[in-house]
Amino acid sequence: MAERVNWGGRVLEHLPEAWASARRAFFYGDLLFETVRVFGGQLPLWPRHWARLQGGLAQLGFELRTDWDAAFFEKQVLLVAPPNARVRLAIWREAGGYFAPDGDTAQFAVIAEPLSSGIWEWLAEGLRLEVSTSVRLPVDAYSNLKTLNAARYVAAAREARSRQVDDVLICNAFGRVCEATSSNVFWWEGDRLCTVPLSEGCVAGVSRALVLETAAIMGYDVLEKAIHSEELEVADEIFLTNVVRGIQPVRIFAGRLLCSERTRLLFERVCQQVMPA
């Protein structure tokens, strides 16, 4: 017997075609995605995105068509993206089945949103940051992936809004700092740049890896270390990173006013490596 659907008050004999194709993603979150920044019609970070995506697809057992390689997906992104844009590339398992899929064939969609600027912009006023009191993140082999399992991040973002701050840090199940709602976290201890290791459960951010590499090139000592939020309260500088906004300095954390001198220098060098001249 064919399934019937009540779609927002309309009774249908089947799901709309596009949604039927993506039903596993809708029902089970069986999807990986990349958020890609387009700068002046170029994708300078695309090789990093593709490497991360390949790893996640292999881990989850997705099967791509043989001609769906890095060049193919780069072309698909640029087909719909304005010159400056935020793009989401989503890949999901198309086959039917319930928790156990009938197969592993993948499907994809690209959704582009125009941005007003073709550069990462320095946030001079900085962010107001606190620690989430309502959310904890799990730590397992899948924590580093970008999937649809975002209920905890939504809850944390709502908490930040209710507390009238720009963002919150989310701790993991062990009570240690993990990440912000859509960013990795960095801090300075003197001339040493520190960040949370992937083993603490944070997303394996593309900009996170870029910042670590750039800091090392600049001669800074770089350290990945686990930390409790109370320890972070004495940091010299704190900043967040993601591919859409680049590096964003934190101005106020836990009631303390922070500086951003080293962060600004690092921001300028990272921009030189990424954005078209």
Side-chain angles (χ1 to χ4, degrees):
M1 181 177 178
E3 64 185 10
R4 300 184 75 210
V5 182
N6 185 326
W7 191 265
R10 291 187 301 141
V11 177
L12 309 174
E13 294 304 318
H14 53 78
L15 284 169
E17 182 178 352
W19 283 102
S21 169
R23 62 178 295 149
R24 287 199 57 81
F26 183 71
F27 286 0
Y28 304 110
D30 197 9
L31 175 151
L32 283 175
F33 72 90
E34 290 290 324
T35 301
V36 184
R37 177 76 187 252
V38 183
F39 300 91
Q42 299 181 45
L43 304 177
L45 295 175
W46 176 245
R48 296 174 183 269
H49 286 287
W50 177 246
R52 180 174 65 178
L53 185 60
Q54 279 188 301
L57 293 171
Q59 185 174 346
L60 294 179
F62 283 57
E63 294 179 357
L64 298 183
R65 285 174 26 177
T66 56
D67 58 330
W68 287 8
D69 56 11
F72 170 84
F73 280 112
E74 183 176 16
K75 180 179 179 180
Q76 301 311 307
V77 169
L78 293 175
L79 275 175
V80 298
N84 303 307
R86 170 184 183 150
V87 176
R88 172 171 287 206
L89 165 63
I91 300 180
W92 62 87
R93 207 183 319 257
E94 186 180 34
Y98 297 98
F99 282 103
D102 291 339
D104 296 311
T105 303
Q107 186 54 272
F108 76 92
V110 181
I111 303 166
E113 174 186 352
L115 296 176
S116 59
S117 174
I119 61 172
W120 278 331
E121 297 176 324
W122 176 250
L123 188 66
E125 65 272 24
L127 299 173
R128 296 164 297 165
L129 186 67
E130 293 289 346
V131 180
S132 172
T133 60
S134 64
V135 180
R136 291 291 182 270
L137 296 174
V139 181
D140 60 23
Y142 302 94
S143 298
N144 305 143
L145 303 179
K146 293 179 72 68
T147 71
L148 288 186
N149 299 317
R152 293 179 178 86
Y153 297 104
V154 172
R158 293 183 73 248
E159 179 186 346
R161 184 172 60 188
S162 70
R163 295 171 63 178
Q164 297 183 321
V165 296
D166 297 301
D167 210 338
V168 290
L169 294 180
I170 312 174
C171 294
N172 61 23
F174 304 107
R176 298 186 292 266
V177 172
C178 187
E179 56 194 347
T181 59
S182 60
S183 306
N184 292 113
V185 57
F186 287 81
W187 67 96
W188 293 92
E189 297 178 355
D191 286 329
R192 173 180 289 172
L193 180 64
C194 304
T195 194
V196 175
L198 297 181
S199 58
E200 289 293 282
C202 60
V203 169
V206 164
S207 55
R208 174 187 181 277
L210 175 65
V211 166
L212 287 172
E213 292 173 14
T214 304
I217 291 171
M218 294 175 69
Y220 288 115
D221 185 19
V222 175
L223 178 65
E224 298 181 53
K225 60 180 284 190
I227 190 171
H228 288 89
S229 59
E230 295 83 3
E231 301 173 83
L232 195 57
E233 291 178 7
V234 299
D236 299 323
E237 302 180 33
I238 302 172
F239 63 90
L240 306 181
T241 65
N242 66 41
V243 294
V244 174
R245 295 184 292 270
I247 290 175
Q248 290 195 299
V250 174
R251 184 63 173 166
I252 298 175
F253 176 63
R256 290 181 61 234
L257 190 64
L258 304 180
C259 59
S260 56
E261 284 81 2
R262 294 181 184 86
T263 302
R264 180 63 184 265
L265 292 174
L266 181 58
F267 169 81
E268 291 173 353
R269 180 65 70 87
V270 168
C271 288
Q272 291 172 6
Q273 293 189 210
V274 172
M275 293 181 291

